[in-house]
Amino acid sequence: MSVKEIMDIIREKLGGIAEDIRYVESAGIIVRVKPVNLREASHIVHDVLDAYFRTMMAVDERPINNTFAAYYVYGLDDKGINIIIEAHADPYTPVLPSIADIVPAADWYELEAWDLLGIKFKNRKLHRFVLPDDWPEGLYPLRRDVDYTVRPSPRITYKPPLQGPRLPVGPYHPALHEPEYFELFVEGERVVDVEYNGFHVHRGIEKLAESPRFTYQKIPFLAERICGICGFVHSVAYTLSVENAAKIEVPERAQYIRSIVLEVERLHSHLLWLGVACHLLGYDAGFMHSWRIREKVMVLAELLTGSRKTYGINLVGGVRKDINMDKITAIRNTLAWLRSEFAKLADLVTSVPQIVRRARGTGILPRDEARKLSVVGPVARASGLDRDVRRDYPYCAYKDVSFRVPVYTEGDNLARVMVRVEEIFESMDIIDQLLDKLPGGPIMAEKMEVPAGLVGIGNVEAPRGEDIHIIITGRGRPYRWRVRAPTYQNIPALKVMLRDAPLADAPLTIASIDPCFSCTDRIVVIDLKTGKREKLQTVSIPGECGCEI
Amino acid sequence: MRVNPLKKSIWVFHLNTGSCNACDIEILDALTPYFDVERFGIKLVASPRHADLVLLTGPITRKTLPKVINALRAVPRPRYILAIGACAVGGGIWYDTYSVIGGVEELKKMLEENGIEIDKIVYVPGCPARPEAIIYGVAVLLGLVEQKVHGEVKIAE
């Protein structure tokens, strides 16, 4: 279906309430509505057109058009086109209607917009989400008139120990390698609810990118430091968004090199996760084997990029390091070794009872809940949602390779293990195909100009799921850069997975989404007041999120 | 210069104060078969109360600050810190943003205000610090190898 036909459908469905409908090649179809019509438009796009909620960007546009703006991005996966609903709020008392009841996945985004930009959402509870509790009221760091170095002096307060049937997990806990805080509400050995308080790793990245310290070409290095595990994903997503917005032609060879490094990163990330999952189940042999194999991937990454992590080879317009025949031989040798070693490990991990019996049937996320919460990546694919950004919204060199997207319908922890195990094999095949087809030519675009005031979207399938960046270009640096990491979208699903499950399964279930808090750094809080089970069905999840920040 | 209380195997506690995970996975890497620091008796423990040495990563975000202070308070004396990675050493790329404290030096001042003394800090720079560098840092603390850079700060105008 062409863009024109989709435009016609959108005109028919939304024509009555839209102020303006336009198509921007670098982003998608942008529909501007009045705040009063936002709920209706969201309902039509999310429920009638069945578009997947991808991200929301709130912007302080007071210097441009004297409003606060919110852009809700939905994706039509089968057509690979985004529908963006744009709404503007008053500059003095910014208020928008909440759509969290229509689009449950939008919950965190609204909380974040409130916390960082001071946009109020009607008919919902708002509270501190990303910022610490002692942050002064009325100081919104993402507003343009607030300097990025503002540092209110911290007040250190101590919370009394928990009372009642609540178990704290974190922020420093053996099962977590990052500072995040979960509170599990238990009845005997069963978890009845969970409260998540995250965003401990909020470092102010989006604001920093708008500061005079950064330019378009420096931000890829900042983006890589969003996350130490999937950093290259973020730098590629950022460069894609700028390149899309400014229509920069990236040479084919650079696209291939990016794809190869992205797949190498996926290999190391999935092996890392598999090891940690084994460790949490008390199967330390699996952990050690997995990390032994992974070390070769780290050595390979160092050979290709010069660094074990935070590769630093990506720039807007191309890459900084080429691949020569020696490196191609090294990749092929490593892959051959990896294939045989990993096949043995995969056989072991998917057959030992320590893993299989603990993972089967636990942490179930049914398909309809997964769809409602718009989860991404292996979590979605393990719950029967056939979504992969590499295939649905092709970028870099993925249009030239063929690969299988593993989908399982069980939705349990074992399905999530299996999806990742199969993805490791697929990644190795993808790298082989890319090496076969590697074209010659330059690795850096010659002409680069980024005009101000353009919108661009870049998406990358990270090891943890869809990573999506939106950018509004400014002079010399982005006007606004919005990062949405995969874990941001997946953490709310934990409340479904953990509810009514035995306590002993909680660490594996939390790990099964492969949470990356430095990416997400924000939170989920689930209300549970009285201990009544019925109440648990109407959960509100205020959260923070994180990969970006 | 040998640190007497650490003659035997040292137990480490991993304290992530808002790092991007890169240093953290390198710490884990040092513990797994390729580098295998357990052969030197270095062991990761789950509680700061059992720790001889704290492996501190990250620029110390405002939100983790109270928890970091609590965790460090629980560490028995002598209290040693290995500041791992550019962020822990000096705040890294976000040294001046609104949401971080900006490195272990700033933390040390706040700890002193709270009556918590730090006996020694060893800095392991790098973004991320390599596993070899982390092991070297421990060796410096134990006095097994010479410190490479000494504490003379020169700031270019």
Side-chain angles (χ1 to χ4, degrees):
Chain A
M1 197 186 286
S2 71
V3 174
K4 203 175 162 294
E5 285 167 289
I6 299 169
M7 287 282 276
D8 289 340
I9 296 173
I10 288 176
R11 275 208 193 90
E12 181 199 322
K13 303 267 189 206
L14 287 168
I17 52 175
E19 288 183 311
D20 176 36
I21 299 176
R22 64 187 197 277
Y23 176 62
V24 179
E25 206 187 320
S26 60
I29 297 165
I30 302 180
V31 183
R32 198 175 73 223
V33 297
K34 284 209 169 78
V36 281
N37 295 325
L38 180 62
R39 285 176 62 84
E40 196 188 338
S42 306
H43 167 68
I44 292 171
V45 174
H46 185 256
D47 299 331
V48 181
L49 297 176
D50 197 28
Y52 215 82
F53 182 72
R54 300 184 84 193
T55 181
M56 186 269 251
M57 170 171 73
V59 197
D60 176 4
E61 289 194 350
R62 287 176 300 171
I64 301 176
N65 52 24
N66 203 27
T67 57
F68 282 94
Y71 298 85
Y72 298 80
V73 182
Y74 298 84
L76 290 169
D77 288 344
D78 45 347
K79 308 183 183 71
I81 285 191
N82 294 315
I83 302 173
I84 302 168
I85 301 180
E86 175 188 350
H88 292 268
D90 180 82
Y92 305 107
T93 47
V95 181
L96 286 173
S98 165
I99 60 162
D101 53 332
I102 302 170
V103 187
D107 189 37
W108 275 23
Y109 297 86
E110 292 181 354
L111 286 168
E112 192 187 338
W114 157 244
D115 211 10
L116 296 179
L117 274 155
I119 299 176
K120 264 199 176 147
F121 290 86
K122 261 187 298 193
N123 300 328
R124 66 157 298 160
K125 217 172 108 195
L126 292 164
H127 55 82
R128 273 266 174 268
F129 187 57
V130 178
L131 297 170
D133 291 337
D134 63 342
W135 189 266
E137 292 288 325
L139 179 63
Y140 304 108
L142 271 188
R143 288 194 175 186
R144 302 293 295 188
D145 48 7
V146 178
D147 192 67
Y148 78 103
T149 53
V150 162
R151 237 181 229 178
S153 60
R155 252 183 314 117
I156 294 160
T157 49
Y158 296 102
K159 279 190 182 168
L162 294 182
Q163 301 289 322
R166 296 191 292 175
L167 282 183
V169 178
Y172 297 110
H173 186 271
L176 301 170
H177 294 289
E178 288 180 78
E180 294 302 310
Y181 183 60
F182 293 89
E183 240 173 75
L184 303 179
F185 296 81
V186 291
E187 261 175 30
E189 280 292 302
R190 298 200 85 72
V191 177
V192 290
D193 207 349
V194 57
E195 182 176 302
Y196 166 69
N197 181 332
F199 293 82
H200 284 79
V201 198
H202 178 83
R203 289 151 290 175
I205 293 171
E206 286 173 0
K207 183 74 180 177
L208 190 56
E210 298 166 10
S211 78
R213 269 175 59 196
F214 282 87
T215 63
Y216 283 116
Q217 290 295 31
K218 281 185 189 168
I219 292 175
F221 302 95
L222 177 65
E224 279 200 320
R225 282 157 180 83
I226 289 172
C227 174
I229 299 174
C230 50
F232 196 69
V233 165
H234 287 285
S235 86
V236 172
Y238 161 78
T239 49
L240 284 174
S241 65
V242 178
E243 286 154 9
N244 286 343
K247 300 204 171 51
I248 295 168
E249 290 278 331
V250 182
E252 280 275 285
R253 194 175 171 85
Q255 309 254 29
Y256 271 71
I257 293 173
R258 276 182 190 171
S259 305
I260 290 169
V261 178
L262 280 173
E263 290 307 314
V264 168
E265 196 170 56
R266 188 184 321 278
L267 285 177
H268 106 77
S269 176
H270 277 358
L271 283 167
L272 175 153
W273 177 82
L274 198 60
V276 171
C278 289
H279 175 65
L280 289 175
L281 290 175
Y283 183 53
D284 264 4
F287 170 50
M288 292 295 175
H289 276 301
S290 182
W291 280 65
R292 173 180 61 86
I293 296 171
R294 175 179 170 274
E295 187 58 32
K296 292 276 184 208
V297 184
M298 300 296 277
V299 173
L300 179 65
E302 186 173 4
L303 180 79
L304 290 178
T305 66
S307 183
R308 288 165 61 89
K309 271 314 309 169
T310 45
Y311 306 133
I313 65 161
N314 206 17
L315 284 177
V316 175
V319 292
R320 296 167 64 214
K321 265 205 159 95
D322 207 345
I323 290 183
N324 59 18
M325 278 317 288
D326 286 354
K327 288 180 182 173
I328 292 178
T329 319
I331 300 173
R332 292 215 194 266
N333 290 343
T334 307
L335 283 185
W337 181 86
L338 199 61
R339 251 196 202 101
S340 71
E341 287 288 317
F342 183 69
K344 281 185 234 162
L345 177 69
D347 272 356
L348 199 65
V349 167
T350 52
S351 61
V352 292
Q354 285 100 316
I355 306 285
V356 178
R357 293 178 63 181
R358 287 286 303 278
R360 180 173 289 144
T362 57
I364 292 177
L365 179 67
R367 191 182 187 281
D368 54 328
E369 298 264 13
R371 176 66 186 86
K372 228 165 49 188
L373 293 165
S374 301
V375 298
V376 294
V379 181
R381 292 195 279 278
S383 292
L385 295 170
D386 190 5
R387 275 194 102 227
D388 191 318
V389 177
R390 288 176 292 178
R391 183 195 59 204
D392 301 335
Y393 305 84
Y395 55 93
C396 291
Y398 288 108
K399 54 190 179 307
D400 301 342
V401 293
S402 68
F403 56 96
R404 208 170 55 80
V405 178
V407 178
Y408 283 76
T409 49
E410 289 89 343
D412 58 0
N413 287 333
L414 188 64
R416 290 188 278 275
V417 173
M418 295 308 293
V419 166
R420 291 193 177 98
V421 167
E422 287 187 27
E423 279 185 7
I424 293 177
F425 287 114
E426 290 300 319
S427 277
M428 291 191 271
D429 285 348
I430 292 173
I431 298 176
D432 263 341
Q433 293 180 44
L434 289 168
L435 289 177
D436 287 339
K437 291 184 183 169
L438 189 66
I443 55 168
M444 194 69 200
E446 281 179 6
K447 223 182 91 200
M448 254 178 303
E449 247 173 62
V450 187
L454 301 171
V455 187
I457 290 183
N459 50 221
V460 172
E461 181 74 21
R464 289 158 188 78
E466 167 197 77
D467 176 31
I468 177 163
H469 289 209
I470 317 180
I471 206 161
I472 296 181
T473 59
R475 286 192 185 78
R477 62 190 60 82
Y479 181 82
R480 174 87 166 92
W481 171 42
R482 172 77 169 98
V483 182
R484 201 275 283 139
T487 308
Y488 195 89
Q489 207 84 327
N490 284 343
I491 289 180
L494 274 180
K495 75 174 195 297
V496 181
M497 299 182 198
L498 287 171
R499 202 189 297 145
D500 273 343
L503 185 58
D505 291 335
L508 175 68
T509 303
I510 292 175
S512 77
I513 66 161
D514 197 359
C516 179
F517 299 110
S518 70
C519 277
T520 303
D521 232 337
R522 297 120 182 268
I523 291 191
V524 181
V525 180
I526 299 172
D527 280 335
L528 163 117
K529 285 274 145 9
T530 58
K532 275 188 196 159
R533 303 296 272 271
E534 301 84 334
K535 261 209 133 181
L536 301 178
Q537 305 305 321
T538 56
V539 181
S540 97
I541 321 162
E544 333 172 8
C545 83
C547 234
E548 62 186 281
I549 311 210
Chain B
M1 183 203 66
R2 209 164 257 274
V3 182
N4 282 332
L6 295 184
K7 266 183 182 165
K8 306 230 167 99
S9 59
I10 52 172
W11 286 7
V12 296
F13 176 69
H14 176 197
L15 190 63
N16 177 333
T17 66
S19 100
C20 73
N21 277 351
C23 295
D24 310 85
I25 59 173
E26 295 294 45
I27 290 172
L28 273 185
D29 216 280
L31 292 161
T32 48
Y34 194 82
F35 293 98
D36 193 15
V37 292
E38 287 196 13
R39 69 201 151 118
F40 303 130
I42 302 173
K43 189 171 174 286
L44 197 65
V45 292
S47 164
R49 292 182 202 282
H50 304 157
D52 297 310
L53 172 65
V54 175
L55 307 178
L56 191 139
T57 60
I60 306 136
T61 58
R62 282 184 57 114
K63 208 156 187 168
T64 56
L65 181 67
K67 292 127 191 174
V68 168
I69 291 178
N70 259 357
L72 285 174
R73 193 193 296 276
V75 178
R77 295 287 294 273
R79 218 175 255 130
Y80 298 126
I81 292 182
L82 198 62
I84 295 172
C87 299
V89 169
I93 200 165
W94 10 76
Y95 69 96
D96 58 353
T97 68
Y98 63 87
S99 181
V100 306
I101 300 301
V104 75
E105 277 300 315
E106 298 292 320
L107 176 69
K108 199 179 164 192
K109 284 179 211 155
M110 291 185 190
L111 287 173
E112 273 161 12
E113 282 167 23
N114 283 274
I116 302 169
E117 280 180 51
I118 302 294
D119 295 294
K120 187 167 183 181
I121 302 177
V122 175
Y123 296 91
V124 183
C127 189
R130 299 176 62 95
E132 295 94 326
I134 297 169
I135 300 170
Y136 195 91
V138 178
V140 169
L141 180 84
L142 291 173
L144 298 173
V145 289
E146 275 295 304
Q147 190 173 333
K148 280 186 176 168
V149 186
H150 289 275
E152 187 187 342
V153 182
K154 285 180 182 161
I155 297 166
E157 285 301 317

